[in-house]
């Protein structure tokens, strides 16, 4: 018997194949390009960049709808009728997925949904830490599990840097003045996930190469990150050379386990090609 089965959206940047390997169920979010709607995670994120290059039009993203969860929850329950389902949801401040899950779970007492208040690799980190917890404590009771998951969410930190502001501008998230300033002054806004919201906090100045390494150092020190593990996040078209420099910086700071995560279609649509992020675990809540 499998007591708990974890569900997460494709926006967690856990691929369907990874989900199968780890025993995690992935429900798709959605991407619209032109007149066609696609399930996120069913095509390479590079196609987001190719679509924008060709049409100068940004794809549109949307969360998982109630029917996505209804179909998944029914299948899981049919296959594992004795198990409980734990949905670790993409931040409710950014999409409808959490609400959709709650709607689908209304008459299903075997489903529990938690708003992780994270997106992309931050949500991924929460999911993987929870999976490890369940492996360590397979008989953990429900209340202790939910309390532990909320603590994991609170201690997980994520920051990222768009390589440029073109996609944010195309999506109406930055002005013409901000776009021009970023080009002339080489300004790079740091986007942090704070209480589930994407908030621009610090503006770094200089080459993107310099700023990437500065972000790793600042995130590690400001957030008092545990040196046991670090996730480095990259969008399509992030250079291999810069990836090596970023990893070297993380090693210099004492991180023992460093994992790379490529952004999926949802976060690539918002951050654009070449974006970079850092996810770690704070030693304090």
């Amino acid at each position: 018997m499998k007591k708990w089965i974890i569900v997460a959206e494709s926006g967690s940047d856990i691929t369907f194949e990874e989900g199968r390997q780890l025993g995690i169920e992935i429900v798709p979010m959605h991407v619209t390009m032109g007149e066609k709607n696609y399930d996120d995670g069913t095509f390479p994120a590079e196609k987001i960049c190719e679509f924008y290059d060709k049409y100068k039009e940004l794809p549109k993203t949307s969360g998982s709808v109630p029917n996505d969860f209804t179909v998944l929850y029914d299948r899981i329950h049919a296959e594992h009728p004795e198990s409980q389902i734990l949905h670790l949801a993409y931040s409710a401040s950014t999409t409808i997925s959490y609400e959709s899950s709650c709607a689908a779970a209304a008459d299903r007492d075997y489903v529990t949904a938690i708003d992780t208040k994270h997106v992309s690799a931050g949500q991924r980190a929460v999911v993987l830490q929870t999976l490890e917890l369940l492996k360590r404590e397979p008989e953990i009771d429900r209340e202790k599990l939910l309390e532990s998951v909320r603590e994991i969410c609170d201690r997980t930190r994520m920051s990222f840097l768009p390589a440029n502001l073109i996609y944010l501008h195309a999506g109406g998230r930055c002005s013409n003045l901000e776009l021009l300033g970023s080009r002339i002054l080489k300004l790079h806004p740091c986007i942090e996930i704070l209480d589930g919201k994407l908030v621009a906090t610090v503006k770094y100045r200089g080459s993107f190469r310099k700023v990437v390494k500065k972000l790793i150092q600042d995130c590690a020190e400001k957030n008092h990150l545990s040196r046991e593990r670090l996730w480095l996040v990259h969008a399509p078209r992030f250079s291999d050379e810069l990836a090596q420099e970023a990893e070297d910086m993380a090693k210099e700071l004492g991180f023992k386990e460093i994992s790379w995560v490529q952004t999926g279609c949802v976060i690539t649509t918002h951050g654009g090609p070449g974006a970079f992020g850092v996810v770690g675990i704070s030693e304090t809540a």
Side-chain angles (χ1 to χ4, degrees):
M1 181 185 75
K2 191 171 185 179
K3 188 173 182 182
W4 288 98
I5 295 175
I6 297 176
V7 169
E9 293 90 336
S10 57
S12 65
D13 295 337
I14 298 173
T15 67
F16 290 104
E17 180 57 32
E18 286 180 303
R20 282 189 286 271
Q21 293 173 1
L22 295 169
I24 298 166
E25 295 283 353
I26 304 299
V27 62
M29 297 173 80
H30 306 284
V31 180
T32 301
M33 292 188 285
E35 299 299 319
K36 295 183 179 180
N37 185 269
Y38 302 88
D39 284 350
D40 175 34
T42 60
F43 61 95
E46 170 64 23
K47 286 193 175 182
I48 297 293
C49 307
E50 293 173 355
F51 180 84
Y52 183 81
D53 290 346
K54 183 174 182 179
Y55 298 105
K56 295 299 182 283
E57 176 187 337
L58 199 63
K60 295 178 176 62
T61 63
S62 57
S64 310
V65 298
N67 188 62
D68 292 323
F69 288 101
T70 297
V71 170
L72 179 62
Y73 292 162
D74 284 348
R75 176 178 64 76
I76 294 173
H77 189 59
E79 294 174 355
H80 307 279
E82 301 302 319
S83 293
Q84 291 287 307
I85 296 172
L86 177 62
H87 174 212
L88 299 176
Y90 200 94
S91 172
S93 295
T94 65
T95 188
I96 63 168
S97 293
Y98 174 71
E99 291 181 5
S100 295
S101 175
C102 290
D107 298 319
R108 294 171 170 81
D109 60 3
Y110 51 87
V111 178
T112 300
I114 292 179
D115 176 7
T116 67
K117 299 186 178 182
H118 283 283
V119 304
S120 183
Q123 183 189 10
R124 175 193 179 99
V126 170
V127 170
L128 296 182
Q129 291 174 83
T130 302
L131 186 64
E132 291 170 0
L133 170 64
L134 288 170
K135 287 180 178 178
R136 290 195 309 269
E137 302 182 48
E139 301 302 320
I140 189 171
D141 67 65
R142 183 179 184 276
E143 292 308 313
K144 184 179 178 183
L145 172 61
L146 300 187
E147 179 183 352
S148 298
V149 169
R150 292 188 178 99
E151 181 183 0
I152 288 170
C153 295
D154 289 343
R155 292 177 57 204
T156 300
R157 303 282 192 272
M158 178 176 178
S159 301
F160 75 93
L161 292 165
N164 58 63
L165 301 186
I166 293 174
Y167 277 38
L168 291 176
H169 179 261
R173 294 179 178 84
C174 83
S175 67
N176 289 332
L177 185 61
E178 289 172 316
L179 178 62
L180 183 62
S182 72
R183 288 172 171 169
I184 295 174
L185 302 176
K186 294 185 177 180
L187 294 176
H188 301 277
C190 171
I191 312 296
E192 295 186 61
I193 314 302
L194 302 176
D195 195 31
K197 300 178 178 65
L198 280 69
V199 180
T201 54
V202 179
K203 287 185 178 178
Y204 290 102
R205 185 171 182 175
S207 69
F208 194 61
R209 170 171 277 100
K210 175 183 175 182
V211 169
V212 161
K213 291 186 280 189
K214 179 65 173 169
L215 178 69
I216 299 170
Q217 183 174 12
D218 286 355
C219 285
E221 294 174 356
K222 184 184 79 170
N223 294 311
H224 306 288
L225 296 185
S226 164
R227 295 308 197 262
E228 291 300 317
R229 179 185 301 177
L230 189 73
W231 289 268
L232 299 178
V233 188
H234 70 98
R237 303 182 183 178
F238 188 77
S239 80
D240 292 340
E241 181 182 355
L242 186 50
Q244 187 60 61
E245 291 182 21
E247 188 167 330
D248 289 344
M249 171 60 75
K251 290 177 180 176
E252 286 178 22
L253 291 169
F255 288 99
K256 299 175 183 177
E257 180 184 332
I258 301 167
S259 303
W260 281 94
V261 181
Q262 179 170 311
T263 60
C265 301
V266 169
I267 204 69
T268 298
T269 299
H270 300 292
F276 173 78
V278 178
V279 178
I281 304 164
S282 176
E283 293 182 328
T284 58

